[in-house]
Amino acid sequence: MITDIINKKRLGKELSYHELDVFFNGYLEGTVKDYQMSSLLMAICINGMTEEEIFALTKIFIDSGDTLDLSFIPGVVVDKHSTGGIGDKTTLIIAPIVASLGVPILKMSGRGLGYTGGTIDKLESIPGYRIDLSDEEVIKQVQDIGVVITGQTTSLAPMDKEIYALRDVTATVSSVPLIAVSIMSKKIAGGADKILIDIKVGNGALLKTKKEAQELSILVKKIGKVYQKEVHTIISDMNTPLGYCIGNSLEVMEAQRILKGEEIGNNLTKLCIDLSTELVCMAKGVLPQDAQDMVLQAIKSGDAYRKFLELVEAQHGDITRLSISKKCKEIKAKKSGTIESISAIKLGELSVSLGAGRISKEDSIDYGVGIELTKQVGDNVKKGEVLAKVYYKKIPHLQDFEDIFTIS
Ligand code: URA
């Protein structure tokens, strides 16, 4: 029976709800083995899934755990998800902005694996910050201060956690249907009324082409419709890292600067303003220009930063103890010219090699290491000028990363 199901998918045929249910729940129960699930996942990667299969598998993932009921929280509760990128600390910035405008936001985030950093790792660089809130604590905190950023509770879509870990080591992560099922099962179980998904595309993202990003955008909206959830998407560039910093403590510090209004006009600030504006429109039903004015005012007035401090305190973090490594090496320009590109993927690889990310799930993270860019794409540089500062504990092999910057 199990091998018949694998074979059916290998031949490109559609699996029924019952077949998917038997297979995936069998995996959780231990009757379907890792090698059998890996084989089915690869067949799905190669042959894709029909919409019926995608809807069925999303339901199976959701039904593997609990679903939060947030209907008693006044107002439209929003949630936001990013498919992951280099230097992506948008959640740390957006959640306090929209919460300071009275839009409740409940964000369950993940750890990073490979070269994309996880929001939870960044928050854990704040000594004391709790990421393991119970469902009851999550609900109480949204009611009290309008914002929570915590780890994915084990009770929501536990199937995704198991399958994601296997996908990660079997080269089956970048399947658009599997990504859609993974994201939407967690988001629907999370109970928000409206969901915004930031789909990254480029060399530092899971999805390398605009076509795949558009396919994912269509799919997540269709799944949302099945559950009467409004899903909005933004497709954003991940060929260049977001902002100036990569590495956990460094990224929290950068998020603070943006929330204080100290950094304007860079790609990270622009994306955060766009995403926050979209969330405010979704929650309040206001016009985009009015929503954007509210977002800019939340930063200017200090309300957004005060909400960030309130969030950190509510989750027992001590922001005054955030620290970065004292050891620092500079990467200098080999010639004069204009910076044509900064490779997101190479910076991601460098940050993992420094210890800011994990290669395997069991690895521990060095929160104080990372890279701070001093230049952005389009800037002019002179030979010998500093392009980036590398904060390290163990001396890095920077010669492996000399072609991060393309200067013409
Ligand atoms: N983000 C998720 O939550 N799941 C995926 O499969 C990919 C990105």
Side-chain angles (χ1 to χ4, degrees):
M1 172 69 172
I2 291 303
T3 47
D4 290 343
I5 294 174
I6 300 172
N7 208 28
K8 195 168 168 189
K9 192 75 229 174
R10 186 181 68 82
L11 295 170
K13 295 189 182 149
E14 183 178 68
L15 299 179
S16 67
Y17 178 91
H18 177 68
E19 286 166 325
L20 288 165
D21 193 34
V22 165
F23 205 99
F24 279 80
N25 277 307
Y27 182 66
L28 275 197
E29 286 152 17
T31 51
V32 171
K33 304 297 173 199
D34 271 356
Y35 47 83
Q36 292 169 317
M37 181 55 87
S38 308
S39 180
L40 181 71
L41 291 172
M42 188 54 83
I44 288 176
C45 263
I46 293 166
N47 290 325
M49 293 177 97
T50 65
E51 278 182 12
E52 285 312 310
E53 286 177 315
I54 292 168
F55 298 153
L57 195 57
T58 307
K59 178 165 167 28
I60 291 164
F61 273 40
I62 295 169
D63 291 347
S64 70
D66 301 333
T67 300
L68 285 187
D69 178 5
L70 305 177
S71 55
F72 56 90
I73 296 174
V76 176
V77 181
V78 294
D79 193 356
K80 168 255 167 200
H81 190 88
S82 156
T83 56
I86 317 295
D88 186 352
K89 70 283 287 173
T90 50
T91 295
L92 306 182
I93 300 161
I94 292 161
I97 291 177
V98 301
S100 76
L101 292 168
V103 176
I105 180 157
L106 190 177
K107 180 78 186 86
M108 293 196 184
S109 295
R111 292 189 188 284
L113 200 56
Y115 53 78
T116 63
T119 299
I120 285 305
D121 298 318
K122 300 176 212 272
L123 284 168
E124 276 190 322
S125 69
I126 307 172
Y129 190 97
R130 277 190 60 206
I131 54 98
D132 57 349
L133 303 187
S134 65
D135 290 355
E136 293 71 30
E137 287 173 315
V138 164
I139 288 168
K140 181 167 184 318
Q141 192 172 311
V142 184
Q143 282 178 309
D144 289 349
I145 65 166
V147 57
V148 175
I149 311 178
T150 184
Q152 187 75 36
T153 67
T154 47
S155 62
L156 301 186
M159 178 90 74
D160 179 61
K161 198 163 176 242
E162 298 300 318
I163 299 296
Y164 194 89
L166 190 63
R167 285 168 60 206
D168 200 55
V169 291
T170 54
T172 52
V173 170
S174 56
S175 145
V176 172
L178 291 177
I179 295 173
V181 169
S182 164
I183 293 175
M184 289 308 291
S185 59
K186 287 178 289 201
K187 297 292 109 182
I188 288 160
D193 301 303
K194 298 189 181 183
I195 299 153
L196 174 61
I197 302 179
D198 176 14
I199 302 176
K200 304 268 181 230
V201 59
N203 69 41
L206 275 182
L207 302 179
K208 308 294 179 201
T209 66
K210 193 108 194 248
K211 184 169 168 283
E212 290 171 311
Q214 279 159 346
E215 264 174 49
L216 182 62
S217 169
I218 292 169
L219 268 182
V220 290
K221 287 180 186 173
K222 283 189 177 164
I223 298 172
K225 221 174 203 167
V226 173
Y227 293 87
Q228 286 98 46
K229 302 274 185 194
E230 204 175 295
V231 178
H232 294 227
T233 59
I234 286 186
I235 296 178
S236 62
D237 174 73
M238 190 30 73
N239 287 303
T240 303
L242 273 174
Y244 288 92
C245 294
I246 300 118
N248 299 284
S249 299
L250 282 168
E251 291 193 45
V252 175
M253 290 173 181
E254 184 176 25
Q256 286 180 277
R257 290 195 293 276
I258 290 177
L259 284 165
K260 288 180 188 168
E262 291 172 4
E263 275 181 26
I264 45 172
N266 70 47
N267 63 353
L268 171 64
T269 310
K270 281 190 198 140
L271 179 62
C272 288
I273 290 170
D274 286 353
L275 290 166
S276 304
T277 299
E278 187 72 25
L279 284 169
V280 172
C281 283
M282 287 160 65
K284 292 185 180 277
V286 294
L287 292 172
Q289 189 55 54
D290 294 338
Q292 194 187 77
D293 291 346
M294 291 161 81
V295 166
L296 295 174
Q297 184 56 26
I299 297 174
K300 200 167 162 205
S301 65
D303 288 350
Y305 185 56
R306 276 190 288 278
K307 187 56 83 175
F308 172 81
L309 294 178
E310 207 179 344
L311 164 73
V312 172
E313 198 186 326
Q315 291 187 223
H316 305 280
D318 182 354
I319 198 75
T320 62
R321 288 175 50 221
L322 200 59
S323 66
I324 53 171
S325 174
K326 303 243 170 339
K327 295 182 190 167
C328 180
K329 243 178 180 308
E330 293 173 337
I331 299 181
K332 294 187 177 160
K334 289 245 153 64
K335 60 175 184 176
S336 300
T338 304
I339 299 183
E340 210 161 78
S341 68
I342 304 175
S343 168
I345 178 110
K346 285 204 180 304
L347 277 170
E349 286 166 359
L350 173 56
S351 88
V352 170
S353 80
L354 292 169
R358 297 181 184 80
I359 293 165
S360 76
K361 269 192 304 176
E362 298 73 30
D363 293 348
S364 60
I365 279 195
D366 230 327
Y367 295 111
V369 301
I371 306 123
E372 186 176 7
L373 303 173
T374 49
K375 299 283 175 195
Q376 289 260 300
V377 172
D379 286 354
N380 291 322
V381 287
K382 292 209 176 70
K383 186 176 174 189
E385 221 183 318
V386 177
L387 299 174
K389 294 178 182 169
V390 178
Y391 295 91
Y392 66 96
K393 292 267 169 71
K394 280 180 271 151
I395 293 190
H397 296 287
L398 292 182
Q399 59 275 24
D400 296 345
F401 298 98
E402 284 193 338
D403 46 356
I404 288 174
F405 296 86
T406 310
I407 299 174
S408 62

